[in-house]
């Protein structure tokens, strides 16, 4: 659930409160009584920010009794301007003493609240806090909702900001930009009807829907993020105003329909931006999306897969190991080689100096056997304690599983956390000096980040070099819905350095053997159209397998209703023909075993 600030409201004496209210504005500049649209103004910032206001009228449209306690109220008359919202949130700090349909007069302090602080880049929420509320009457009809649909939501997402202030001071143009439309309805009663689910329901009782289902659709019924100018403005998050203790939130997966009418105030938070706080929630109509299964590799095909197993450690329930194993055996058809990301050490997030992960990997291997799969062997390199980022204490790393009945691992001793593996010519072939070995682990590009793991494999007499990756996360980037437009991607700089290092390593391989078989794969934490991907493929040393798929299939992760590529597989020019599949088993479903979809590449070395 969304949680706003919970600072205690300062107590005011009766005399002080009376003095404050007498000094508060009760009239707008035109001499008319002050109304909500006067407080909201025609930009993202209130013209009355920091001021006390008196007896602003409106009808209560929704009450929040958990998290950021308060209520929304709305002027049923309005000023006829599309740029000024007629609704607003009132932050009470404790359980509000009003009900939906109450006609109220609200006095208090106008403010702009920023989730995560103003430096965080989020937009603000205009609200009244420290309120004195008078209920004039009860049982009134709430103002008619504005319908959000394919016709009313603009195709353009956001205006372009200017300098350090971003888009805050710009006049709103709700007919041009979706973010402006949503801001012009901040706090107002809105509704969606029969909306397609674009992001599955979560443990926080939320789901993402799209009111533009024909915009960049995926094969599963979601919305694909295929470029920085394809933000998909029809996406909106839906939460329920009813506490989970009173009514469970519906379970939904991508491609389902939030059927009927969902109605309530429109609000904003840092976890996805604008959302509909549903006073009335539609039902979920099953879209029949099923988890995918890939085909089995043929006898002469080498199958190489990658799977982010989301902080796997021995403290996880056996059910997680079993479901991951089921995915490897049935979903991925028991690949010959699997690059795993986010394998934690034997004590998981406990910060105790342990770095070994043999228990973590051993439990997964045993679960694979129990699921009817091969008894994989494995290789990995323990990181230095607390040097590879990720969950504190977890020491996540990349690991290779391989089926010894199908493929041989070429062991070359000496690999450790800080020693780089080099490319060595042996009998005209590019091989590794250390296998398993790390790719340039001392380079500053890998500071506080997972180092690439390189392994030398033999399949039917052919050498195949595989590099498993988990690049730096996107944490710290400005959000799509934030006040800075276009958003800055600060985390990209480290991934560009990492991509350069991996690209240089592959160049070294190809300098020794032009037609060497090299597979570079893993959680790249960046899109197929990103500068990171361009840097990885620079000079033609690698090409991305994702472009072999139809656009509607290009996604491995769902974030804020956008289906997108974060996990990638790339191949050297020597691998001319291949069959590539992103196996959609997790990202679109509410009951995920990981938040990433695995992928598999099949080819004949």
């Amino acid at each position: 659930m969304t949680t706003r600030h919970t600072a205690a409201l300062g107590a005011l004496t009766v005399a002080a409160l009376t003095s404050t209210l007498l000094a508060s504005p009760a009239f707008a500049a035109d001499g008319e009584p002050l109304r909500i649209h006067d407080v909201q103004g025609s930009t993202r910032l209130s013209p009355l920010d920091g001021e006390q206001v008196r007896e602003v009228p409106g009808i209560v449209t929704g009450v929040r009794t958990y998290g950021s306690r308060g209520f929304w109220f709305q002027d049923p008359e309005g000023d006829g301007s599309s740029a000024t919202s007629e609704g607003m949130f009132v932050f009470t700090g404790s359980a509000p003493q009003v009900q939906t349909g109450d006609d109220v007069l609200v006095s208090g302090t106008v403010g702009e609240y920023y989730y995560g602080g103003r430096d965080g880049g989020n937009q603000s929420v205009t609200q009244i806090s420290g309120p004195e509320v008078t209920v004039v009457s009860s049982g009134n009809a709430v103002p008619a909702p504005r319908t959000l649909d394919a016709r009313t939501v603009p195709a353009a997402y956001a205006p372009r900001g200017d300098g350090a202030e971003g888009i805050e001071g710009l006049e709103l143009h709700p007919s041009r930009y979706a973010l402006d439309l949503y801001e012009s309805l901040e706090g107002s009663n809105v509704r969606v009807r029969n909306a397609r689910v674009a992001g599955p329901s979560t443990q926080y009782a939320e789901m993402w829907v799209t009111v533009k289902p024909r915009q960049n659709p995926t094969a599963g019924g979601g919305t694909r993020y295929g470029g920085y100018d394809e933000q998909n403005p029809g996406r909106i998050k839906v939460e329920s105003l009813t506490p989970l203790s009173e009514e469970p939130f519906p379970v939904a997966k991508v491609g389902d329909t939030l059927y009927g009418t969902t109605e309530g105030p429109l609000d904003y938070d840092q976890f996805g931006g604008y959302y509909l706080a549903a006073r009335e929630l539609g039902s979920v109509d099953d879209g029949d999306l099923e988890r995918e299964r890939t085909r089995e590799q043929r006898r002469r095909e080498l199958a190489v897969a990658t799977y982010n197993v989301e902080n796997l450690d021995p403290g996880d329930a056996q059910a997680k190991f079993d479901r991951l194993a089921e995915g490897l055996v049935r979903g991925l058809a028991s690949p010959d080689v699997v690059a795993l990301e986010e394998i934690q050490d034997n004590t998981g997030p406990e910060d105790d100096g342990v770095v070994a992960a043999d228990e973590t990997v051993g439990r997964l291997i045993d679960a694979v056997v129990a699921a009817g799969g091969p008894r994989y062997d494995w290789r990995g390199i323990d990181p230095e304690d607390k040097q590879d980022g990720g969950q504190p204490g977890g020491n996540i790393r990349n690991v290779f599983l391989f089926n010894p009945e199908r493929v041989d691992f070429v062991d070359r001793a000496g690999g450790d956390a800080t020693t780089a593996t080099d490319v060595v010519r042996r009998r005209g072939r590019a091989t590794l000096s250390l296998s398993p070995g790390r790719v340039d682990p001392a380079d500053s590009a890998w500071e506080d980040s997972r180092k690439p793991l390189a392994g030398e494999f033999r399949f039917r007499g052919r050498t195949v070099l595989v590099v498993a990756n988990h690049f730096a996360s996107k944490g710290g980037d400005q959000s799509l819905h934030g006040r800075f437009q276009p958003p800055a991607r600060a985390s990209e700089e480290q991934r560009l350095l990492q991509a350069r290092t991996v690209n240089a390593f592959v160049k070294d391989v190809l300098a020794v053997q032009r037609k060497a078989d090299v597979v570079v794969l893993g959680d790249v934490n960046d899109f197929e159209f990103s500068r990171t991907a361009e840097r990885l493929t620079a000079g033609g040393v690698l090409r991305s397998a994702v472009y072999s798929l139809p656009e509607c299939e290009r996604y491995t992760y769902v974030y804020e209703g956008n289906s997108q590529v974060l996990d990638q597989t790339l191949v050297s020019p020597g691998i001319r023909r291949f069959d590539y599949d992103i196996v959609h088993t997790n990202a679109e479903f509410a009951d995920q075993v990981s938040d990433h979809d695995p992928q598999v590449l099949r080819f004949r070395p």
Side-chain angles (χ1 to χ4, degrees), residues 482-528:
R483 72 177 188 274
F484 296 107
Q485 297 293 333
R489 302 181 297 273
S491 71
E492 185 180 61
E493 296 307 312
Q494 184 174 9
R495 289 191 299 279
L496 287 171
L497 297 175
Q498 294 174 342
R500 181 193 64 187
T501 301
V502 173
N503 178 274
F505 179 77
V506 178
K507 282 182 180 176
D508 290 344
V509 173
L510 300 186
V512 171
Q513 183 185 351
R514 183 171 60 88
K515 293 186 178 181
D517 292 334
V518 185
V519 180
V520 172
L521 75 176
D523 182 358
V524 176
N525 264 318
D526 223 334
F527 315 116
E528 75 275 24

Side-chain angles (χ1 to χ4, degrees), residues 78-92:
D79 63 351
S81 170
S82 63
T84 54
S85 177
E86 301 297 342
M88 182 171 293
F89 184 73
V90 178
F91 176 66
T92 58

